[in-house]
Amino acid sequence: MLLRCAVYPALVFTASAVVILVQNTGVGYWPVVPLTLVLAALIVAGLERAVPFARAWNADADDMRTDVAHLIGNVAVSQLSLVGYAATRSIWDGTGLWPTAWPFWTQAILGLAIVDAGLYTVHRASHGVGWLWRLHAIHHSARRVYWMNGQRRHLVHELLEGAPGLFLLFVLGAPVAVYASAIAIVTVHLLLQHANIEYRLGPLVRVFAGAETHRWHHQRKWEDVQGNYGAVFAVWDHAFGTALPQHGDAPLDVGMDDEPDLPSSYTGQLAWPFKARRD
Protein backbone atom coordinates (compact mmCIF):
# COMPACT_ATOMS: atom_id res chain seq x y z
CA MET A 1 0.00 0.00 0.00
CA LEU A 2 2.83 2.38 0.85
CA LEU A 3 4.45 1.76 -2.53
CA ARG A 4 1.17 2.38 -4.34
CA CYS A 5 0.72 5.67 -2.49
CA ALA A 6 4.27 6.72 -3.37
CA VAL A 7 3.83 6.56 -7.16
CA TYR A 8 2.05 9.89 -7.61
CA PRO A 9 4.16 12.08 -5.30
CA ALA A 10 7.40 10.45 -6.43
CA LEU A 11 6.73 11.24 -10.08
CA VAL A 12 4.67 14.42 -10.07
CA PHE A 13 6.34 16.17 -7.13
CA THR A 14 9.84 15.29 -8.36
CA ALA A 15 9.16 16.38 -11.94
CA SER A 16 7.51 19.58 -10.66
CA ALA A 17 10.51 20.33 -8.44
CA VAL A 18 12.87 19.88 -11.40
CA VAL A 19 10.73 22.17 -13.58
CA ILE A 20 10.57 24.89 -10.92
CA LEU A 21 14.25 24.59 -10.07
CA VAL A 22 15.53 24.96 -13.63
CA GLN A 23 13.22 27.91 -14.25
CA ASN A 24 14.23 29.60 -11.00
CA THR A 25 17.95 29.18 -11.55
CA GLY A 26 17.82 30.57 -15.07
CA VAL A 27 18.80 27.31 -16.75
CA GLY A 28 15.89 27.86 -19.11
CA TYR A 29 13.06 25.77 -20.49
CA TRP A 30 15.00 23.98 -23.21
CA PRO A 31 16.16 21.24 -23.13
CA VAL A 32 15.74 20.23 -19.47
CA VAL A 33 11.95 20.62 -19.13
CA PRO A 34 11.00 18.77 -22.35
CA LEU A 35 13.43 15.98 -21.45
CA THR A 36 11.86 15.78 -17.99
CA LEU A 37 8.42 15.40 -19.56
CA VAL A 38 9.63 12.68 -21.93
CA LEU A 39 11.31 10.81 -19.06
CA ALA A 40 8.14 11.05 -16.96
CA ALA A 41 6.09 9.64 -19.87
CA LEU A 42 8.52 6.74 -20.30
CA ILE A 43 8.38 5.93 -16.57
CA VAL A 44 4.57 6.02 -16.55
CA ALA A 45 4.40 3.81 -19.66
CA GLY A 46 6.78 1.35 -17.98
CA LEU A 47 4.78 1.29 -14.75
CA GLU A 48 1.63 0.56 -16.74
CA ARG A 49 3.29 -2.67 -17.86
CA ALA A 50 4.74 -3.52 -14.45
CA VAL A 51 1.80 -2.68 -12.14
CA PRO A 52 -1.31 -2.12 -14.30
CA PHE A 53 -4.69 -1.21 -12.89
CA ALA A 54 -6.28 -3.23 -15.71
CA ARG A 55 -4.12 -5.51 -17.86
CA ALA A 56 -6.71 -5.37 -20.63
CA TRP A 57 -6.10 -1.63 -20.99
CA ASN A 58 -2.48 -2.27 -21.99
CA ALA A 59 -3.59 -3.81 -25.29
CA ASP A 60 -3.97 -1.58 -28.33
CA ALA A 61 -7.72 -1.25 -28.86
CA ASP A 62 -7.20 0.12 -32.37
CA ASP A 63 -6.86 3.52 -30.74
CA MET A 64 -3.14 4.06 -30.30
CA ARG A 65 -2.60 5.68 -33.69
CA THR A 66 -5.37 8.17 -32.95
CA ASP A 67 -4.02 8.87 -29.47
CA VAL A 68 -0.48 9.42 -30.79
CA ALA A 69 -1.85 11.99 -33.24
CA HIS A 70 -3.78 13.75 -30.45
CA LEU A 71 -0.70 13.69 -28.25
CA ILE A 72 1.52 15.26 -30.91
CA GLY A 73 -1.09 17.87 -31.84
CA ASN A 74 -1.91 18.97 -28.30
CA VAL A 75 1.69 19.05 -27.09
CA ALA A 76 2.47 21.21 -30.13
CA VAL A 77 -0.40 23.56 -29.20
CA SER A 78 0.83 23.91 -25.61
CA GLN A 79 4.39 24.58 -26.73
CA LEU A 80 3.24 27.12 -29.30
CA SER A 81 1.19 28.83 -26.59
CA LEU A 82 4.40 29.20 -24.61
CA VAL A 83 6.16 30.73 -27.61
CA GLY A 84 3.21 33.08 -28.14
CA TYR A 85 3.14 34.02 -24.47
CA ALA A 86 6.83 34.90 -24.53
CA ALA A 87 6.45 36.92 -27.73
CA THR A 88 3.51 38.96 -26.47
CA ARG A 89 5.07 39.43 -23.06
CA SER A 90 7.97 41.20 -24.79
CA ILE A 91 5.43 43.70 -26.14
CA TRP A 92 3.43 44.31 -22.95
CA ASP A 93 4.36 43.58 -19.34
CA GLY A 94 0.79 43.34 -18.13
CA THR A 95 -0.81 45.31 -15.34
CA GLY A 96 2.06 44.74 -12.94
CA LEU A 97 -0.20 43.10 -10.36
CA TRP A 98 1.74 39.84 -10.37
CA PRO A 99 3.61 39.24 -7.06
CA THR A 100 7.11 39.18 -8.53
CA ALA A 101 8.61 39.69 -5.06
CA TRP A 102 7.39 36.27 -3.95
CA PRO A 103 9.80 33.30 -4.06
CA PHE A 104 9.60 31.74 -7.49
CA TRP A 105 8.19 28.43 -6.26
CA THR A 106 5.20 30.21 -4.75
CA GLN A 107 4.69 32.13 -8.00
CA ALA A 108 4.78 28.82 -9.88
CA ILE A 109 2.15 27.28 -7.58
CA LEU A 110 -0.06 30.36 -7.92
CA GLY A 111 0.31 30.22 -11.71
CA LEU A 112 -0.58 26.52 -11.68
CA ALA A 113 -3.68 27.20 -9.56
CA ILE A 114 -4.84 29.94 -11.95
CA VAL A 115 -4.31 27.76 -15.03
CA ASP A 116 -6.04 24.84 -13.33
CA ALA A 117 -9.02 26.95 -12.28
CA GLY A 118 -9.45 27.89 -15.94
CA LEU A 119 -9.24 24.23 -16.97
CA TYR A 120 -11.88 23.30 -14.39
CA THR A 121 -14.20 26.10 -15.53
CA VAL A 122 -14.07 25.22 -19.23
CA HIS A 123 -14.26 21.49 -18.49
CA ARG A 124 -17.38 21.98 -16.37
CA ALA A 125 -18.94 24.20 -19.04
CA SER A 126 -18.15 21.54 -21.63
CA HIS A 127 -20.59 19.20 -19.91
CA GLY A 128 -23.40 21.76 -20.07
CA VAL A 129 -22.96 23.71 -23.30
CA GLY A 130 -23.88 21.75 -26.42
CA TRP A 131 -21.19 22.94 -28.82
CA LEU A 132 -18.49 22.62 -26.17
CA TRP A 133 -19.64 19.09 -25.42
CA ARG A 134 -19.28 18.20 -29.10
CA LEU A 135 -15.62 19.17 -28.83
CA HIS A 136 -15.12 17.51 -25.45
CA ALA A 137 -16.93 14.25 -26.22
CA ILE A 138 -13.86 13.16 -28.17
CA HIS A 139 -11.96 12.86 -24.89
CA HIS A 140 -14.69 10.57 -23.55
CA SER A 141 -14.71 8.33 -26.62
CA ALA A 142 -11.70 6.26 -25.46
CA ARG A 143 -12.57 2.66 -24.57
CA ARG A 144 -9.66 2.41 -22.13
CA VAL A 145 -7.90 4.84 -19.83
CA TYR A 146 -4.12 4.95 -20.11
CA TRP A 147 -1.35 7.55 -20.08
CA MET A 148 -1.60 8.68 -23.68
CA ASN A 149 -5.31 9.45 -23.90
CA GLY A 150 -4.97 12.21 -21.34
CA GLN A 151 -4.16 14.18 -24.49
CA ARG A 152 -7.12 12.86 -26.50
CA ARG A 153 -8.68 16.29 -26.90
CA HIS A 154 -9.84 18.25 -29.93
CA LEU A 155 -7.34 20.95 -30.89
CA VAL A 156 -10.01 23.66 -30.57
CA HIS A 157 -10.97 22.40 -27.12
CA GLU A 158 -7.31 22.36 -26.12
CA LEU A 159 -7.10 26.04 -27.03
CA LEU A 160 -10.33 26.92 -25.24
CA GLU A 161 -9.41 25.09 -22.05
CA GLY A 162 -6.08 26.82 -21.74
CA ALA A 163 -7.28 30.29 -22.75
CA PRO A 164 -8.72 31.58 -19.42
CA GLY A 165 -5.63 30.79 -17.37
CA LEU A 166 -3.24 32.05 -20.02
CA PHE A 167 -5.19 35.29 -20.42
CA LEU A 168 -5.35 35.97 -16.69
CA LEU A 169 -1.63 35.28 -16.20
CA PHE A 170 -0.85 37.56 -19.13
CA VAL A 171 -2.98 40.43 -17.83
CA LEU A 172 -1.57 40.11 -14.31
CA GLY A 173 1.95 40.22 -15.72
CA ALA A 174 3.18 36.74 -14.77
CA PRO A 175 6.69 35.99 -16.06
CA VAL A 176 7.11 33.53 -18.92
CA ALA A 177 8.80 31.08 -16.53
CA VAL A 178 5.63 30.94 -14.40
CA TYR A 179 3.44 29.99 -17.35
CA ALA A 180 6.05 27.52 -18.61
CA SER A 181 6.17 25.84 -15.20
CA ALA A 182 2.38 25.62 -15.03
CA ILE A 183 1.89 23.93 -18.40
CA ALA A 184 4.77 21.51 -17.72
CA ILE A 185 3.30 20.47 -14.37
CA VAL A 186 -0.17 20.06 -15.88
CA THR A 187 1.34 17.84 -18.58
CA VAL A 188 3.06 15.59 -16.04
CA HIS A 189 -0.07 15.36 -13.89
CA LEU A 190 -2.25 14.35 -16.87
CA LEU A 191 0.09 11.40 -17.44
CA LEU A 192 -0.79 10.11 -13.97
CA GLN A 193 -4.44 11.17 -14.05
CA HIS A 194 -5.07 8.80 -16.97
CA ALA A 195 -2.38 6.25 -16.14
CA ASN A 196 -3.27 2.58 -16.15
CA ILE A 197 -1.29 2.10 -12.95
CA GLU A 198 -2.43 0.52 -9.71
CA TYR A 199 -1.70 3.48 -7.44
CA ARG A 200 -3.57 5.35 -4.74
CA LEU A 201 -3.44 8.95 -3.52
CA GLY A 202 -4.37 8.14 0.06
CA PRO A 203 -5.08 11.34 2.01
CA LEU A 204 -4.14 13.41 -1.06
CA VAL A 205 -7.25 12.19 -2.89
CA ARG A 206 -9.20 15.31 -1.86
CA VAL A 207 -6.38 17.58 -3.06
CA PHE A 208 -5.32 16.12 -6.41
CA ALA A 209 -7.46 14.75 -9.23
CA GLY A 210 -5.79 11.39 -9.71
CA ALA A 211 -6.65 8.29 -11.71
CA GLU A 212 -8.75 6.58 -9.03
CA THR A 213 -11.34 9.38 -9.09
CA HIS A 214 -10.91 10.42 -12.73
CA ARG A 215 -11.81 6.94 -14.00
CA TRP A 216 -15.31 7.57 -12.66
CA HIS A 217 -15.44 10.53 -15.05
CA HIS A 218 -14.95 8.17 -18.00
CA GLN A 219 -18.00 5.93 -17.56
CA ARG A 220 -20.10 5.13 -20.61
CA LYS A 221 -23.33 6.96 -19.73
CA TRP A 222 -23.38 10.75 -20.08
CA GLU A 223 -25.38 11.19 -16.88
CA ASP A 224 -22.72 9.28 -14.93
CA VAL A 225 -19.83 11.61 -15.85
CA GLN A 226 -21.22 14.94 -14.69
CA GLY A 227 -18.58 15.69 -12.08
CA ASN A 228 -14.92 15.24 -11.13
CA TYR A 229 -13.97 18.03 -13.53
CA GLY A 230 -10.69 18.98 -11.84
CA ALA A 231 -7.61 18.74 -14.04
CA VAL A 232 -4.86 18.93 -11.41
CA PHE A 233 -6.61 19.89 -8.19
CA ALA A 234 -9.65 18.06 -6.83
CA VAL A 235 -10.33 20.95 -4.45
CA TRP A 236 -12.39 22.73 -7.12
CA ASP A 237 -14.85 19.82 -7.25
CA HIS A 238 -15.14 19.66 -3.48
CA ALA A 239 -15.49 23.44 -3.16
CA PHE A 240 -18.16 23.79 -5.87
CA GLY A 241 -20.10 20.58 -5.26
CA THR A 242 -19.13 18.72 -8.43
CA ALA A 243 -17.27 15.80 -6.84
CA LEU A 244 -18.86 12.50 -7.89
CA PRO A 245 -20.07 10.41 -4.94
CA GLN A 246 -18.54 7.11 -6.07
CA HIS A 247 -15.53 5.70 -4.25
CA GLY A 248 -13.31 2.71 -4.84
CA ASP A 249 -12.39 1.26 -8.21
CA ALA A 250 -14.41 2.41 -11.21
CA PRO A 251 -15.73 -0.18 -13.71
CA LEU A 252 -13.45 -0.93 -16.63
CA ASP A 253 -16.25 -0.49 -19.18
CA VAL A 254 -15.46 3.10 -20.15
CA GLY A 255 -16.22 5.14 -23.27
CA MET A 256 -19.20 7.14 -24.49
CA ASP A 257 -22.43 5.38 -25.43
CA ASP A 258 -24.33 8.62 -25.98
CA GLU A 259 -22.37 9.59 -29.12
CA PRO A 260 -22.51 6.42 -31.25
CA ASP A 261 -21.59 8.23 -34.46
CA LEU A 262 -18.30 9.60 -33.10
CA PRO A 263 -15.54 8.31 -35.43
CA SER A 264 -12.40 6.56 -34.23
CA SER A 265 -9.88 8.16 -36.61
CA TYR A 266 -7.99 11.33 -35.76
CA THR A 267 -9.10 13.29 -38.81
CA GLY A 268 -12.64 12.06 -38.35
CA GLN A 269 -12.65 13.26 -34.73
CA LEU A 270 -11.32 16.67 -35.74
CA ALA A 271 -14.16 17.09 -38.24
CA TRP A 272 -16.99 15.47 -36.23
CA PRO A 273 -17.91 18.39 -33.89
CA PHE A 274 -18.62 20.62 -36.91
CA LYS A 275 -20.91 18.19 -38.71
CA ALA A 276 -24.68 18.35 -38.42
CA ARG A 277 -25.91 16.32 -35.47
CA ARG A 278 -28.04 13.28 -36.20
CA ASP A 279 -31.03 12.94 -33.89
Side-chain angles (χ1 to χ4, degrees), residues 52-78:
F53 171 75
R55 291 194 179 278
W57 284 354
N58 280 338
D60 185 354
D62 197 26
D63 56 358
M64 187 170 291
R65 180 180 299 179
T66 297
D67 287 335
V68 168
H70 279 296
L71 175 68
I72 293 172
N74 287 315
V75 168
V77 167
S78 67

PDB file of all heavy atoms in Angstrom, residues 52-78:
ATOM      1  N   PRO A  52      -0.120  -2.714 -13.669  1.00  0.00           N
ATOM      2  CA  PRO A  52      -1.310  -2.121 -14.300  1.00  0.00           C
ATOM      3  C   PRO A  52      -2.532  -2.173 -13.388  1.00  0.00           C
ATOM      4  O   PRO A  52      -2.698  -3.100 -12.595  1.00  0.00           O
ATOM      5  CB  PRO A  52      -1.512  -2.998 -15.532  1.00  0.00           C
ATOM      6  CG  PRO A  52      -0.976  -4.338 -15.126  1.00  0.00           C
ATOM      7  CD  PRO A  52       0.213  -4.023 -14.252  1.00  0.00           C
ATOM      8  N   PHE A  53      -3.386  -1.178 -13.538  1.00  0.00           N
ATOM      9  CA  PHE A  53      -4.692  -1.211 -12.889  1.00  0.00           C
ATOM     10  C   PHE A  53      -5.573  -2.250 -13.578  1.00  0.00           C
ATOM     11  O   PHE A  53      -6.291  -3.005 -12.935  1.00  0.00           O
ATOM     12  CB  PHE A  53      -5.330   0.176 -12.956  1.00  0.00           C
ATOM     13  CG  PHE A  53      -6.770   0.213 -12.499  1.00  0.00           C
ATOM     14  CD1 PHE A  53      -7.078   0.145 -11.154  1.00  0.00           C
ATOM     15  CD2 PHE A  53      -7.799   0.325 -13.422  1.00  0.00           C
ATOM     16  CE1 PHE A  53      -8.406   0.168 -10.728  1.00  0.00           C
ATOM     17  CE2 PHE A  53      -9.121   0.354 -13.008  1.00  0.00           C
ATOM     18  CZ  PHE A  53      -9.427   0.274 -11.652  1.00  0.00           C
ATOM     19  N   ALA A  54      -5.522  -2.260 -14.915  1.00  0.00           N
ATOM     20  CA  ALA A  54      -6.281  -3.229 -15.713  1.00  0.00           C
ATOM     21  C   ALA A  54      -5.386  -3.718 -16.846  1.00  0.00           C
ATOM     22  O   ALA A  54      -5.040  -2.936 -17.732  1.00  0.00           O
ATOM     23  CB  ALA A  54      -7.558  -2.601 -16.259  1.00  0.00           C
ATOM     24  N   ARG A  55      -5.009  -4.983 -16.818  1.00  0.00           N
ATOM     25  CA  ARG A  55      -4.116  -5.506 -17.859  1.00  0.00           C
ATOM     26  C   ARG A  55      -4.738  -5.375 -19.246  1.00  0.00           C
ATOM     27  O   ARG A  55      -4.034  -5.183 -20.239  1.00  0.00           O
ATOM     28  CB  ARG A  55      -3.768  -6.969 -17.564  1.00  0.00           C
ATOM     29  CG  ARG A  55      -2.883  -7.136 -16.333  1.00  0.00           C
ATOM     30  CD  ARG A  55      -2.279  -8.515 -16.234  1.00  0.00           C
ATOM     31  NE  ARG A  55      -1.430  -8.609 -15.051  1.00  0.00           N
ATOM     32  CZ  ARG A  55      -0.172  -8.188 -14.995  1.00  0.00           C
ATOM     33  NH1 ARG A  55       0.374  -7.646 -16.074  1.00  0.00           N
ATOM     34  NH2 ARG A  55       0.533  -8.293 -13.893  1.00  0.00           N
ATOM     35  N   ALA A  56      -6.045  -5.472 -19.328  1.00  0.00           N
ATOM     36  CA  ALA A  56      -6.711  -5.371 -20.631  1.00  0.00           C
ATOM     37  C   ALA A  56      -6.484  -4.008 -21.267  1.00  0.00           C
ATOM     38  O   ALA A  56      -6.470  -3.889 -22.498  1.00  0.00           O
ATOM     39  CB  ALA A  56      -8.210  -5.630 -20.467  1.00  0.00           C
ATOM     40  N   TRP A  57      -6.296  -2.980 -20.460  1.00  0.00           N
ATOM     41  CA  TRP A  57      -6.098  -1.631 -20.992  1.00  0.00           C
ATOM     42  C   TRP A  57      -4.711  -1.431 -21.587  1.00  0.00           C
ATOM     43  O   TRP A  57      -4.457  -0.404 -22.224  1.00  0.00           O
ATOM     44  CB  TRP A  57      -6.341  -0.590 -19.898  1.00  0.00           C
ATOM     45  CG  TRP A  57      -7.792  -0.366 -19.601  1.00  0.00           C
ATOM     46  CD1 TRP A  57      -8.866  -0.881 -20.264  1.00  0.00           C
ATOM     47  CD2 TRP A  57      -8.327   0.454 -18.551  1.00  0.00           C
ATOM     48  NE1 TRP A  57     -10.043  -0.443 -19.702  1.00  0.00           N
ATOM     49  CE2 TRP A  57      -9.740   0.378 -18.649  1.00  0.00           C
ATOM     50  CE3 TRP A  57      -7.764   1.228 -17.545  1.00  0.00           C
ATOM     51  CZ2 TRP A  57     -10.590   1.054 -17.776  1.00  0.00           C
ATOM     52  CZ3 TRP A  57      -8.601   1.907 -16.678  1.00  0.00           C
ATOM     53  CH2 TRP A  57     -10.000   1.825 -16.788  1.00  0.00           C
ATOM     54  N   ASN A  58      -3.814  -2.391 -21.396  1.00  0.00           N
ATOM     55  CA  ASN A  58      -2.475  -2.274 -21.987  1.00  0.00           C
ATOM     56  C   ASN A  58      -2.459  -2.704 -23.453  1.00  0.00           C
ATOM     57  O   ASN A  58      -1.489  -2.451 -24.165  1.00  0.00           O
ATOM     58  CB  ASN A  58      -1.463  -3.106 -21.205  1.00  0.00           C
ATOM     59  CG  ASN A  58      -0.998  -2.407 -19.935  1.00  0.00           C
ATOM     60  OD1 ASN A  58      -1.082  -1.181 -19.827  1.00  0.00           O
ATOM     61  ND2 ASN A  58      -0.504  -3.180 -18.981  1.00  0.00           N
ATOM     62  N   ALA A  59      -3.519  -3.353 -23.897  1.00  0.00           N
ATOM     63  CA  ALA A  59      -3.588  -3.810 -25.289  1.00  0.00           C
ATOM     64  C   ALA A  59      -4.113  -2.697 -26.183  1.00  0.00           C
ATOM     65  O   ALA A  59      -5.044  -1.970 -25.811  1.00  0.00           O
ATOM     66  CB  ALA A  59      -4.498  -5.032 -25.389  1.00  0.00           C
ATOM     67  N   ASP A  60      -3.519  -2.569 -27.351  1.00  0.00           N
ATOM     68  CA  ASP A  60      -3.966  -1.584 -28.332  1.00  0.00           C
ATOM     69  C   ASP A  60      -5.384  -1.932 -28.772  1.00  0.00           C
ATOM     70  O   ASP A  60      -5.635  -2.999 -29.335  1.00  0.00           O
ATOM     71  CB  ASP A  60      -3.013  -1.589 -29.530  1.00  0.00           C
ATOM     72  CG  ASP A  60      -3.333  -0.494 -30.552  1.00  0.00           C
ATOM     73  OD1 ASP A  60      -4.361   0.192 -30.383  1.00  0.00           O
ATOM     74  OD2 ASP A  60      -2.552  -0.344 -31.506  1.00  0.00           O
ATOM     75  N   ALA A  61      -6.318  -1.034 -28.492  1.00  0.00           N
ATOM     76  CA  ALA A  61      -7.722  -1.251 -28.859  1.00  0.00           C
ATOM     77  C   ALA A  61      -8.026  -0.540 -30.175  1.00  0.00           C
ATOM     78  O   ALA A  61      -9.102   0.051 -30.330  1.00  0.00           O
ATOM     79  CB  ALA A  61      -8.637  -0.761 -27.742  1.00  0.00           C
ATOM     80  N   ASP A  62      -7.087  -0.580 -31.085  1.00  0.00           N
ATOM     81  CA  ASP A  62      -7.204   0.118 -32.368  1.00  0.00           C
ATOM     82  C   ASP A  62      -7.389   1.623 -32.154  1.00  0.00           C
ATOM     83  O   ASP A  62      -8.112   2.283 -32.897  1.00  0.00           O
ATOM     84  CB  ASP A  62      -8.363  -0.452 -33.193  1.00  0.00           C
ATOM     85  CG  ASP A  62      -8.270  -0.056 -34.668  1.00  0.00           C
ATOM     86  OD1 ASP A  62      -7.146   0.208 -35.136  1.00  0.00           O
ATOM     87  OD2 ASP A  62      -9.321   0.006 -35.336  1.00  0.00           O
ATOM     88  N   ASP A  63      -6.726   2.113 -31.101  1.00  0.00           N
ATOM     89  CA  ASP A  63      -6.857   3.524 -30.744  1.00  0.00           C
ATOM     90  C   ASP A  63      -5.518   4.234 -30.593  1.00  0.00           C
ATOM     91  O   ASP A  63      -5.477   5.452 -30.476  1.00  0.00           O
ATOM     92  CB  ASP A  63      -7.638   3.664 -29.428  1.00  0.00           C
ATOM     93  CG  ASP A  63      -7.000   2.871 -28.285  1.00  0.00           C
ATOM     94  OD1 ASP A  63      -5.980   2.184 -28.505  1.00  0.00           O
ATOM     95  OD2 ASP A  63      -7.538   2.933 -27.158  1.00  0.00           O
ATOM     96  N   MET A  64      -4.438   3.467 -30.597  1.00  0.00           N
ATOM     97  CA  MET A  64      -3.141   4.057 -30.298  1.00  0.00           C
ATOM     98  C   MET A  64      -2.711   5.062 -31.364  1.00  0.00           C
ATOM     99  O   MET A  64      -2.164   6.127 -31.044  1.00  0.00           O
ATOM    100  CB  MET A  64      -2.069   2.982 -30.117  1.00  0.00           C
ATOM    101  CG  MET A  64      -0.736   3.539 -29.640  1.00  0.00           C
ATOM    102  SD  MET A  64       0.440   2.254 -29.152  1.00  0.00           S
ATOM    103  CE  MET A  64      -0.340   1.636 -27.664  1.00  0.00           C
ATOM    104  N   ARG A  65      -2.975   4.755 -32.624  1.00  0.00           N
ATOM    105  CA  ARG A  65      -2.596   5.682 -33.692  1.00  0.00           C
ATOM    106  C   ARG A  65      -3.314   7.016 -33.524  1.00  0.00           C
ATOM    107  O   ARG A  65      -2.717   8.085 -33.662  1.00  0.00           O
ATOM    108  CB  ARG A  65      -2.911   5.073 -35.052  1.00  0.00           C
ATOM    109  CG  ARG A  65      -2.547   5.972 -36.229  1.00  0.00           C
ATOM    110  CD  ARG A  65      -2.876   5.320 -37.557  1.00  0.00           C
ATOM    111  NE  ARG A  65      -2.145   4.078 -37.747  1.00  0.00           N
ATOM    112  CZ  ARG A  65      -2.267   3.296 -38.819  1.00  0.00           C
ATOM    113  NH1 ARG A  65      -3.113   3.620 -39.784  1.00  0.00           N
ATOM    114  NH2 ARG A  65      -1.554   2.183 -38.909  1.00  0.00           N
ATOM    115  N   THR A  66      -4.593   6.947 -33.185  1.00  0.00           N
ATOM    116  CA  THR A  66      -5.368   8.171 -32.954  1.00  0.00           C
ATOM    117  C   THR A  66      -4.831   8.929 -31.749  1.00  0.00           C
ATOM    118  O   THR A  66      -4.682  10.160 -31.784  1.00  0.00           O
ATOM    119  CB  THR A  66      -6.856   7.826 -32.739  1.00  0.00           C
ATOM    120  OG1 THR A  66      -7.369   7.230 -33.932  1.00  0.00           O
ATOM    121  CG2 THR A  66      -7.668   9.069 -32.400  1.00  0.00           C
ATOM    122  N   ASP A  67      -4.513   8.216 -30.677  1.00  0.00           N
ATOM    123  CA  ASP A  67      -4.017   8.869 -29.467  1.00  0.00           C
ATOM    124  C   ASP A  67      -2.639   9.492 -29.682  1.00  0.00           C
ATOM    125  O   ASP A  67      -2.344  10.554 -29.126  1.00  0.00           O
ATOM    126  CB  ASP A  67      -3.966   7.869 -28.305  1.00  0.00           C
ATOM    127  CG  ASP A  67      -5.357   7.532 -27.783  1.00  0.00           C
ATOM    128  OD1 ASP A  67      -6.271   8.354 -27.949  1.00  0.00           O
ATOM    129  OD2 ASP A  67      -5.524   6.442 -27.197  1.00  0.00           O
ATOM    130  N   VAL A  68      -1.802   8.841 -30.472  1.00  0.00           N
ATOM    131  CA  VAL A  68      -0.485   9.416 -30.791  1.00  0.00           C
ATOM    132  C   VAL A  68      -0.666  10.731 -31.539  1.00  0.00           C
ATOM    133  O   VAL A  68       0.021  11.725 -31.260  1.00  0.00           O
ATOM    134  CB  VAL A  68       0.365   8.432 -31.624  1.00  0.00           C
ATOM    135  CG1 VAL A  68       1.584   9.131 -32.197  1.00  0.00           C
ATOM    136  CG2 VAL A  68       0.800   7.249 -30.770  1.00  0.00           C
ATOM    137  N   ALA A  69      -1.600  10.760 -32.484  1.00  0.00           N
ATOM    138  CA  ALA A  69      -1.850  11.991 -33.237  1.00  0.00           C
ATOM    139  C   ALA A  69      -2.361  13.095 -32.322  1.00  0.00           C
ATOM    140  O   ALA A  69      -1.925  14.256 -32.421  1.00  0.00           O
ATOM    141  CB  ALA A  69      -2.859  11.715 -34.355  1.00  0.00           C
ATOM    142  N   HIS A  70      -3.288  12.762 -31.415  1.00  0.00           N
ATOM    143  CA  HIS A  70      -3.783  13.753 -30.453  1.00  0.00           C
ATOM    144  C   HIS A  70      -2.646  14.245 -29.562  1.00  0.00           C
ATOM    145  O   HIS A  70      -2.554  15.449 -29.273  1.00  0.00           O
ATOM    146  CB  HIS A  70      -4.891  13.151 -29.590  1.00  0.00           C
ATOM    147  CG  HIS A  70      -6.237  13.136 -30.234  1.00  0.00           C
ATOM    148  ND1 HIS A  70      -6.913  14.297 -30.576  1.00  0.00           N
ATOM    149  CD2 HIS A  70      -7.049  12.101 -30.599  1.00  0.00           C
ATOM    150  CE1 HIS A  70      -8.084  13.976 -31.110  1.00  0.00           C
ATOM    151  NE2 HIS A  70      -8.184  12.657 -31.144  1.00  0.00           N
ATOM    152  N   LEU A  71      -1.814  13.330 -29.117  1.00  0.00           N
ATOM    153  CA  LEU A  71      -0.696  13.690 -28.247  1.00  0.00           C
ATOM    154  C   LEU A  71       0.229  14.682 -28.936  1.00  0.00           C
ATOM    155  O   LEU A  71       0.575  15.735 -28.362  1.00  0.00           O
ATOM    156  CB  LEU A  71       0.080  12.428 -27.847  1.00  0.00           C
ATOM    157  CG  LEU A  71       1.363  12.636 -27.036  1.00  0.00           C
ATOM    158  CD1 LEU A  71       1.041  13.171 -25.645  1.00  0.00           C
ATOM    159  CD2 LEU A  71       2.150  11.331 -26.927  1.00  0.00           C
ATOM    160  N   ILE A  72       0.611  14.382 -30.171  1.00  0.00           N
ATOM    161  CA  ILE A  72       1.516  15.263 -30.912  1.00  0.00           C
ATOM    162  C   ILE A  72       0.858  16.627 -31.144  1.00  0.00           C
ATOM    163  O   ILE A  72       1.474  17.677 -30.924  1.00  0.00           O
ATOM    164  CB  ILE A  72       1.906  14.624 -32.253  1.00  0.00           C
ATOM    165  CG1 ILE A  72       2.762  13.369 -32.013  1.00  0.00           C
ATOM    166  CG2 ILE A  72       2.670  15.614 -33.128  1.00  0.00           C
ATOM    167  CD1 ILE A  72       3.035  12.559 -33.262  1.00  0.00           C
ATOM    168  N   GLY A  73      -0.393  16.621 -31.549  1.00  0.00           N
ATOM    169  CA  GLY A  73      -1.086  17.871 -31.837  1.00  0.00           C
ATOM    170  C   GLY A  73      -1.253  18.752 -30.617  1.00  0.00           C
ATOM    171  O   GLY A  73      -0.993  19.962 -30.666  1.00  0.00           O
ATOM    172  N   ASN A  74      -1.650  18.162 -29.485  1.00  0.00           N
ATOM    173  CA  ASN A  74      -1.913  18.971 -28.300  1.00  0.00           C
ATOM    174  C   ASN A  74      -0.633  19.429 -27.605  1.00  0.00           C
ATOM    175  O   ASN A  74      -0.596  20.532 -27.052  1.00  0.00           O
ATOM    176  CB  ASN A  74      -2.801  18.196 -27.325  1.00  0.00           C
ATOM    177  CG  ASN A  74      -4.228  18.114 -27.818  1.00  0.00           C
ATOM    178  OD1 ASN A  74      -4.808  19.094 -28.265  1.00  0.00           O
ATOM    179  ND2 ASN A  74      -4.806  16.926 -27.765  1.00  0.00           N
ATOM    180  N   VAL A  75       0.402  18.601 -27.629  1.00  0.00           N
ATOM    181  CA  VAL A  75       1.688  19.054 -27.089  1.00  0.00           C
ATOM    182  C   VAL A  75       2.223  20.209 -27.928  1.00  0.00           C
ATOM    183  O   VAL A  75       2.776  21.182 -27.400  1.00  0.00           O
ATOM    184  CB  VAL A  75       2.700  17.882 -27.027  1.00  0.00           C
ATOM    185  CG1 VAL A  75       4.111  18.403 -26.744  1.00  0.00           C
ATOM    186  CG2 VAL A  75       2.289  16.890 -25.951  1.00  0.00           C
ATOM    187  N   ALA A  76       2.039  20.113 -29.246  1.00  0.00           N
ATOM    188  CA  ALA A  76       2.467  21.209 -30.126  1.00  0.00           C
ATOM    189  C   ALA A  76       1.712  22.491 -29.799  1.00  0.00           C
ATOM    190  O   ALA A  76       2.298  23.582 -29.751  1.00  0.00           O
ATOM    191  CB  ALA A  76       2.259  20.822 -31.586  1.00  0.00           C
ATOM    192  N   VAL A  77       0.398  22.382 -29.541  1.00  0.00           N
ATOM    193  CA  VAL A  77      -0.403  23.561 -29.196  1.00  0.00           C
ATOM    194  C   VAL A  77       0.100  24.192 -27.904  1.00  0.00           C
ATOM    195  O   VAL A  77       0.253  25.416 -27.804  1.00  0.00           O
ATOM    196  CB  VAL A  77      -1.895  23.188 -29.078  1.00  0.00           C
ATOM    197  CG1 VAL A  77      -2.687  24.320 -28.419  1.00  0.00           C
ATOM    198  CG2 VAL A  77      -2.479  22.893 -30.447  1.00  0.00           C
ATOM    199  N   SER A  78       0.376  23.369 -26.888  1.00  0.00           N
ATOM    200  CA  SER A  78       0.831  23.909 -25.607  1.00  0.00           C
ATOM    201  C   SER A  78       2.192  24.577 -25.740  1.00  0.00           C
ATOM    202  O   SER A  78       2.448  25.631 -25.135  1.00  0.00           O
ATOM    203  CB  SER A  78       0.878  22.804 -24.544  1.00  0.00           C
ATOM    204  OG  SER A  78       1.875  21.841 -24.830  1.00  0.00           O
TER     205      SER A  78
END
